[in-house]
Amino acid sequence: MPHFSPSRTAGAAFAAALLFLAACSPEKQSEAPKAASTERMVAPVLLTEDAKDIHSYARPEIARVTHVALDLVTDFDARRIGGTATLDIQAAEGAREIILDTKGLEIHSVTNAEGQPLPWKLGPADENLGAPLIVQLNGADQIRIAYKSAPDAAALQWLSPAQTAGKKYPFLFSQGQAILNRTWIPTQDSPGIRQTWEARIVVPAPLKAVMSGRNLMPEGEEVEGDGRAFHFEMDKPVAPYLIALAVGDIAFQSLGPRTGVYAEPSMLKAAANELADTEKMIDAAESLYGPYRWERYDMIVLPPSFPFGGMENPRLTFLTPTMIAGDRSLVSLIAHELAHSWSGNLVTNATWADFWLNEGFTSYIEGRIMERLYGPERAAQLVELGWEDLNAEIEAMEGGMDSPDSRLHIDLEGRNPDDGMSGVPYDKGAALLRTIEAAVGRERFDAWLRGYFDRHAFQPMTTSLFLEDLRTHLIQGNETLEAKLDLQEWIYEPGIPDNAMVLRSRGFRDVDAAAQGFGTGAPVASLGFPKWNSAQRVRFLNALPRALPPERLAELDTTFGLSRSTNSEVLFAWLRLAIANRYEPAVPALERFLTSMGRRKFVEPLFEALLAEDEWGRPIAERIYARARPTYHAVTSGTIDALMEAEPEEEETAAR
Ligand code: BES
Ligand code: ZN
């Protein structure tokens, strides 16, 4: 296959062209009448060295995708989704080919818009990245790929009716972040290559489809055979990991003028009650960071195997049902996913090494929204819980505070972006922003942050561009401030800098004292547990000595009903404590929890804790995992498979 490599000048000219194409601002676009397909907004691609995405085969400096049109049919029997993807392409002058990302796709044909075949080939497949699909353009500015996803596509989970709340119909959902969407959409799967998209999705009746775009026909339309077609569009350029789909027996309830929730019918009422504050959260976020630019903010509560707490798919956040506690105590998750509407979806990490720009900013904003709605004390408690977890997590890394993975800007060379997932991008990232806020004052910091979103809306962001923006618009040559912040250390060095702004909440001091008292024999009846909030209960359980006699654990469990807690965070903290004490009576509750949901944040530490308890824990872990594994999403089972396999080997080497 002939290779086209652009000269430096051609590359630069193309970069200029891209910037030119992006010059019409998103605001202007959204005010204009609905753009015809030829005038779709095109977002620039950064072509600097640090914006190069090592997790994509795409060569956007040669040719890039600007728009994706999907026409797909879901086949629940074969567990495959198939049809066509039509891609709009911008190519540099003289460009002969475009390179797309794929993983496990069965490609049937590639043609131009007129249906004439184009030569294509799949390059060698990498375990993490999949295989490049290289298409000869022959001058085409639109290509159509006919394909099918593999039954084991990692982005897709096909649930049997038994795995749903209603138990009657199957369910399908997708999870794109970080590099999974290439298992069902053949496009350039890189967060720096923003694309508008549209989709027609055919599903079997009476199921419904929802997506992370404008829902053009919520009831769908009948198609030949026993199916319905649903139509969606996203006219703002988004990172391709944000294209998401869910199909099932899905009902909708409105919550406010621009908010609503989808869920299986039997879950809908509880979901709507839990999420009642969402509209107020949007108002709070807007007053801090400027307009919400995605029109609607709906949510879908998925079946319990959803591997994350939440996923910020634009216009349609995907949620775990484990956030439904009945008392709205876990809604910081909504504040978080909503915050991504600014940090992540509007201004997006250019590469996965810049992931902290998504999650650190979002965790910071989550705290600000929580503070607006529920006051500084509740917000500070959540920050403090995160801080506690962060410190423990870094200490547990190989090398502890010197671990390279405790840097904000991480090195993912040869690794899956998933390996960089830890509390570091979240809580160390947020701590950096709180430290800057404390140094310049809230008013100036807020003004800068709001401006940052305006200046970079619908664009990718690298760590160095962030630093440049911060220096230009906030630090402004103030050398004392620059020295005080020590940004270099914060971003490029491991560990936690000394100048970190640490929040201490009042409400945790009593709790810590109570935990200490209980550890030294104070009666269970003296504990304020029943009147504590969810965060205080979690703090208490985490603050207890790790070794407690079984009688004391039994007292806690029977007095406060911990094993039956409907608050997943409290239950999780309790089960960790129980496992550390090899407390047999909690094992049925543990088994129930691990076989009833697949949220990795809960599942992974619990299996890890079991495996750490050698001859006691491993058989329990193996027995539970044998039952649970078939119900988990690939994201979760992949992590637990590695745990289960790695542990004995490591023990063996350690023993030698
Ligand atoms: N975007 C993330 C989830 C994610 C990150 C998925 C990386 C795949 C790769 C989402 O916004 C998130 O952070 N979810 C957290 C909740 C949050 C409150 C910390 C989760 O799932 O626990
Ligand atoms: Zn997040």
Side-chain angles (χ1 to χ4, degrees):
M1 164 159 304
H3 259 280
F4 169 82
S5 64
S7 67
R8 279 186 86 84
T9 25
F14 189 55
L18 287 176
L19 285 165
F20 170 76
L21 280 160
C24 49
S25 82
E27 269 75 27
K28 291 207 186 88
Q29 282 279 321
S30 59
E31 277 163 24
K34 211 168 144 248
S37 65
T38 44
E39 304 162 25
R40 278 192 200 102
M41 183 183 154
V42 175
V45 172
L46 292 169
L47 295 177
T48 51
E49 194 52 34
D50 64 337
K52 208 171 126 50
D53 180 5
I54 60 171
H55 295 107
S56 168
Y57 292 106
R59 298 279 309 273
E61 72 283 13
I62 300 174
R64 63 165 292 201
V65 174
T66 60
H67 181 79
V68 179
L70 299 172
D71 191 350
L72 300 171
V73 177
T74 55
D75 181 343
F76 279 82
D77 294 326
R79 302 195 155 190
R80 304 178 83 167
I81 186 162
T84 59
T86 305
L87 311 179
D88 290 1
I89 286 158
Q90 269 187 359
E93 226 176 82
R96 296 197 194 136
E97 64 188 32
I98 184 159
I99 309 180
L100 310 172
D101 294 297
T102 70
K103 197 173 182 192
L105 298 183
E106 187 181 296
I107 309 282
H108 301 146
S109 67
V110 184
T111 67
N112 65 12
E114 288 73 46
Q116 290 155 341
L118 294 172
W120 60 273
K121 69 165 191 189
L122 281 170
D126 174 271
E127 191 198 341
N128 288 325
L129 307 184
L133 171 59
I134 305 153
V135 177
Q136 297 298 307
L137 289 171
N138 293 350
D141 59 4
Q142 204 175 50
I143 62 172
R144 180 163 302 142
I145 302 155
Y147 71 100
K148 258 195 186 111
S149 66
D152 64 352
L156 304 178
Q157 192 178 14
W158 302 85
L159 300 174
S160 66
Q163 290 173 275
T164 66
K167 315 275 178 221
K168 225 173 128 187
Y169 299 105
F171 203 100
L172 162 69
F173 66 82
S174 74
Q175 164 61 41
Q177 202 179 12
I179 55 170
L180 304 181
N181 265 352
R182 60 192 68 178
T183 65
W184 74 287
I185 306 174
T187 188
Q188 293 178 319
D189 189 12
S190 174
I193 309 177
R194 305 178 80 94
Q195 297 151 40
T196 52
W197 60 268
E198 64 193 286
R200 173 178 181 270
I201 308 282
V202 176
V203 307
L207 305 188
K208 284 187 178 156
V210 290
M211 286 190 85
S212 53
R214 188 177 291 123
N215 195 339
L216 297 174
M217 210 184 279
E219 295 309 315
E221 58 175 350
E222 251 175 69
V223 295
E224 232 174 275
D226 184 27
R228 297 190 80 72
F230 293 82
H231 297 260
F232 307 92
E233 85 179 350
M234 172 48 74
D235 57 9
K236 310 197 164 43
V238 295
Y241 71 85
L242 293 170
I243 306 177
L245 166 71
V247 180
D249 179 18
I250 296 168
F252 177 77
Q253 183 167 330
S254 171
L255 297 170
R258 46 186 174 168
T259 52
V261 60
Y262 295 91
E264 287 186 69
S266 68
M267 296 287 294
L268 191 59
K269 215 169 149 223
N273 177 58
E274 207 75 15
L275 302 170
D277 283 347
T278 309
E279 196 81 39
K280 280 188 227 153
M281 288 188 174
I282 305 181
D283 295 339
E286 282 192 312
S287 74
L288 288 164
Y289 307 114
Y292 177 77
R293 304 189 204 218
W294 308 89
E295 298 166 8
R296 289 197 58 84
Y297 183 79
D298 293 319
M299 295 155 283
I300 179 166
V301 176
L302 292 163
S305 66
F306 184 59
F308 297 103
M311 178 64 214
E312 67 271 23
N313 299 313
R315 297 175 66 110
L316 185 64
T317 281
F318 281 26
L319 293 173
T320 172
T322 65
M323 65 81 52
I324 301 180
D327 59 2
R328 304 180 189 164
S329 54
L330 303 178
V331 296
S332 62
L333 178 69
I334 309 304
H336 180 96
E337 303 312 334
L338 172 66
H340 274 305
S341 307
W342 285 263
S343 44
N345 298 356
L346 195 57
V347 181
T348 310
N349 53 210
T351 76
W352 297 112
D354 304 301
F355 182 56
W356 79 274
L357 294 173
N358 273 19
E359 297 301 344
F361 276 61
T362 295
S363 300
Y364 169 81
I365 295 173
E366 167 193 342
R368 294 294 302 276
I369 296 172
M370 290 303 285
E371 183 185 315
R372 272 283 169 99
L373 262 79
Y374 309 108
E377 172 62 23
R378 181 164 168 192
Q381 288 176 5
L382 294 172
V383 169
E384 203 175 333
L385 283 184
W387 191 248
E388 185 191 356
D389 289 347
L390 173 68
N391 279 275
E393 200 178 353
I394 299 182
E395 291 296 357
M397 285 175 177
E398 202 185 317
M401 286 289 165
D402 294 323
S403 164
D405 282 344
S406 66
R407 294 175 298 183
L408 285 179
H409 189 263
I410 47 172
D411 184 3
L412 291 170
E413 186 67 52
R415 302 161 78 192
N416 192 302
D418 217 38
D419 295 353
M421 265 286 260
S422 77
V424 170
Y426 291 79
D427 298 309
K428 182 178 172 182
L432 167 58
L433 298 190
R434 276 194 299 275
T435 303
I436 303 173
E437 182 203 315
V440 301
R442 188 166 264 198
E443 205 177 317
R444 282 187 60 204
F445 186 73
D446 286 357
W448 168 75
L449 189 47
R450 190 184 170 131
Y452 170 86
F453 291 129
D454 288 340
R455 284 187 290 277
H456 304 286
F458 299 103
Q459 288 171 51
M461 178 61 53
T462 59
T463 298
S464 62
L465 247 185
F466 151 74
L467 281 171
E468 193 183 307
D469 187 278
L470 188 78
R471 291 189 165 120
T472 309
H473 297 280
L474 187 64
I475 300 177
Q476 297 177 319
N478 181 336
E479 282 169 26
T480 326
L481 178 60
E482 181 76 55
K484 185 175 169 190
L485 292 176
D486 206 350
L487 297 164
Q488 179 69 22
E489 184 186 353
W490 267 100
I491 288 168
Y492 298 108
E493 302 294 330
I496 296 173
D498 295 336
N499 67 353
M501 157 76 188
V502 181
L503 282 183
R504 293 263 166 239
S505 65
R506 262 181 304 119
F508 276 5
R509 302 292 72 89
D510 293 351
V511 172
D512 290 349
Q516 227 199 348
F518 185 81
T520 53
V524 74
S526 68
L527 295 172
F529 195 92
K531 57 178 189 337
W532 291 335
N533 67 22
S534 161
Q536 287 172 306
R537 291 174 181 192
V538 170
R539 171 71 174 203
F540 172 75
L541 293 167
N542 291 345
L544 284 172
R546 288 296 87 182
L548 283 170
E551 316 80 70
R552 300 246 70 196
L553 292 166
E555 275 179 69
L556 284 176
D557 196 9
T558 47
T559 316
F560 306 127
L562 298 174
S563 290
R564 287 176 286 106
S565 179
T566 51
N567 182 309
S568 55
E569 296 284 353
V570 171
L571 181 61
F572 172 67
W574 159 244
L575 292 172
R576 281 180 108 167
L577 177 68
I579 295 170
N581 285 283
R582 304 189 175 190
Y583 182 63
E584 207 70 47
V587 173
L590 174 67
E591 180 153 2
R592 231 180 300 129
F593 192 47
L594 287 174
T595 53
S596 64
M597 58 85 225
R599 185 174 173 186
R600 185 169 65 177
K601 174 189 148 174
F602 295 145
V603 171
E604 184 183 8
L606 290 174
F607 276 110
E608 209 163 27
L610 279 173
L611 294 175
E613 300 301 326
D614 312 318
E615 76 292 346
W616 181 81
R618 178 166 278 276
I620 300 176
E622 280 171 0
R623 178 169 53 76
I624 297 179
Y625 193 43
R627 278 188 61 206
R629 191 179 186 283
T631 70
Y632 289 167
H633 185 279
V635 159
T636 300
S637 59
T639 302
I640 309 305
D641 284 353
L643 259 186
M644 297 292 248
E645 281 157 26
E647 215 76 2
E649 268 172 42
E650 269 166 31
E651 274 162 24
E652 244 178 70
T653 6
R656 256 181 237 134

